[in-house]
C-alpha cells in the first residue's frame, strides 16, 4: 500500500495537523506533494469545522525544498512553482484566513524555508534549522523568501543567510525573531497543540478577523495601518452589544488568572 504524501488529522476541537509525509526524501516537494499539500490546505481553509492548522514534517526533516531529482528529470515545470499560481502550497497558506502554526521538527531548506515563513507562528525543536540555497542551486525564489525573510530579520541578516547559503539554527532563528519558541523535540507537537488550544479560546470569527488586520496592516505604512485598524474597528465594534461583552467577561478573567 502506497503511503499518502500528506497526512491530515482533524481533532474534535477543530485543530488540523497536516504532516508532509515523504520522510525517505526529507519531505522534498515533488509535484505530487506540491499539489496534494495545496489541495489539503485549501480544503481545510474552507472547512468550518477547522479553526487552527498545524503544519509539520514526518521523520527527521521539516522539508528539504523542491525535489531537485524530479526537477532535473524535467517532470516538474520549474516556472510554475511560484506563489502567484493556484496550485502551490505557499499560495494556499497565504490565502488561508485561519491561523497556521508551523511545527519545525528538522531542516527547512529553500522551498521548505519558504513554507515555514508562510506560517503565522513558528515553533521549532532544537533539531530545527533553516537554509536558503537558491543562489547555490541557481534557482530564483518564487514563494516570497527574498521578501519575507528580510522583513522578519532585517535586510543585512537576510543577505547573509541567502547570499551565503548559511545554516541558521533554531536557537539563532529565535534570537533573530522569525521563530517564536524553541523546545525539545519530544515537546514540539505538545507545544503546538497547546498554542492552538489557546487560540481556540477566541470568539468565533475573531481568529480570522484579527489575523487579517495584522497582515493587511503590516503590508502598509504605519500610518495607513493605524487608519485601517480604526476603520475596521468602527465597523465591527458597532455590531457588538453590551450584553455580548458581559457574557464574554469570563474568558478575560480566565486569561488574567493564567498569568
Amino acid at each position: 500500500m502506497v503511503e499518502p504524501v500528506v497526512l491530515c488529522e482533524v481533532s474534535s476541537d477543530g485543530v488540523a495537523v497536516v504532516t508532509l509525509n515523504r520522510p525517505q526524501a526529507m519531505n522534498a516537494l515533488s509535484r505530487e506533494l506540491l499539489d496534494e499539500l495545496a489541495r489539503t490546505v485549501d480544503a481545510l481553509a474552507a472547512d468550518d469545522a477547522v479553526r487552527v492548522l498545524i503544519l509539520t514534517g514526518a521523520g527527521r526533516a521539516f522539508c528539504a525544498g523542491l525535489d531537485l531529482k524530479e526537477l532535473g528529470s524535467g517532470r516538474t515545470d520549474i516556472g510554475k512553482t511560484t506563489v502567484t499560481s493556484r496550485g502551490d502550497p505557499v499560495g494556499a497558506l497565504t490565502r488561508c484566513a485561519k491561523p497556521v502554526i508551523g511545527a519545525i521538527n528538522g531542516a527547512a531548506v529553500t522551498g521548505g524555508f519558504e513554507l515555514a515563513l508562510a506560517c503565522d507562528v513558528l515553533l521549532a525543536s532544537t533539531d530545527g534549522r533553516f537554509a536558503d540555497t537558491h543562489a547555490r542551486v541557481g534557482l530564483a525564489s518564487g514563494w516570497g523568501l527574498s521578501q519575507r525573510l528580510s522583513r522578519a530579520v532585517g535586510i543585512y541578516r537576510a543577505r547573509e543567510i541567502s547570499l551565503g547559503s548559511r545554516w541558521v539554527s533554531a536557537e539563532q532563528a529565535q534570537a533573530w525573531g522569525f521563530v517564536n519558541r524553541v523546545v525539545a523535540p519530544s515537546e514540539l507537537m505538545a507545544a503546538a497543540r497547546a498554542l492552538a488550544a489557546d487560540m481556540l479560546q477566541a470568539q468565533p470569527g475573531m481568529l480570522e478577523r484579527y489575523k487579517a488586520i495584522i497582515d493587511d496592516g503590516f503590508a502598509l505604512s504605519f500610518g495607513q495601518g493605524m487608519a485601517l485598524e480604526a476603520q475596521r474597528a468602527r465597523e465591527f465594534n458597532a455590531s457588538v452589544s453590551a450584553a455580548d461583552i458581559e457574557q464574554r467577561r469570563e474568558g478575560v478573567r480566565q486569561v488574567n488568572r493564567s498569568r
Side-chain angles (χ1 to χ4, degrees):
M1 181 178 177
V2 178
E3 282 281 312
V5 294
V6 174
L7 304 176
C8 182
E9 175 191 354
V10 180
S11 60
S12 59
D13 59 0
V15 177
V17 177
V18 179
T19 305
L20 311 181
N21 190 40
R22 294 187 73 211
Q24 75 285 355
M26 295 182 66
N27 301 316
L29 297 166
S30 63
R31 183 73 262 172
E32 181 187 12
L33 178 50
L34 285 167
D35 291 341
E36 187 57 31
L37 182 56
R39 281 195 294 267
T40 299
V41 172
D42 279 337
L44 294 171
D47 187 344
D48 291 338
V50 174
R51 297 185 65 196
V52 180
L53 283 65
I54 298 173
L55 179 64
T56 194
R60 61 191 179 93
F62 175 71
C63 177
L66 290 175
D67 189 328
L68 297 181
K69 182 177 180 181
E70 185 177 272
L71 286 176
S73 72
R75 297 196 303 272
T76 295
D77 188 339
I78 298 173
K80 291 184 178 179
T81 56
T82 68
V83 77
T84 58
S85 57
R86 290 292 298 182
D88 75 87
V90 173
L93 289 168
T94 302
R95 291 189 297 273
C96 182
K98 300 168 183 179
V100 181
I101 300 168
I104 312 303
N105 57 298
V109 183
T110 314
F113 197 171
E114 292 181 292
L115 272 182
L117 290 177
C119 297
D120 298 302
V121 178
L122 290 184
L123 306 181
S125 82
T126 51
D127 291 335
R129 55 187 184 142
F130 304 83
D132 178 9
T133 62
H134 280 104
R136 194 163 292 186
V137 174
L139 287 174
S141 63
W143 283 340
L145 184 50
S146 67
Q147 303 305 304
R148 284 193 172 102
L149 185 60
S150 61
R151 285 162 171 77
V153 304
I155 195 166
Y156 291 94
R157 286 170 175 165
R159 289 188 188 120
E160 177 184 354
I161 294 168
S162 296
L163 301 184
S165 300
R166 301 291 299 273
W167 281 103
V168 180
S169 68
E171 293 81 2
Q172 187 65 72
Q174 182 183 30
W176 282 359
F178 69 89
V179 162
N180 295 74
R181 277 185 285 130
V182 179
V183 299
S186 62
E187 299 171 4
L188 179 62
M189 290 309 296
R193 290 182 182 277
L195 177 57
D198 286 342
M199 292 179 177
L200 292 175
Q201 301 304 308
Q203 294 295 316
M206 286 303 298
L207 292 176
E208 296 87 344
R209 182 175 295 277
Y210 218 136
K211 174 181 170 176
I213 189 58
I214 292 172
D215 291 352
D216 294 347
F218 189 73
L220 303 172
S221 70
F222 179 74
Q224 291 171 321
M226 291 291 287
L228 180 66
E229 182 191 72
Q231 174 194 340
R232 292 192 185 176
R234 284 193 300 269
E235 293 170 353
F236 179 74
N237 290 344
S239 67
V240 180
S241 69
D244 292 330
I245 298 298
E246 180 61 27
Q247 186 178 20
R248 297 166 189 170
R249 284 176 59 201
E250 178 56 30
V252 176
R253 284 194 289 266
Q254 288 177 2
V255 172
N256 292 334
R257 285 196 294 267
S258 69
R259 290 177 180 172

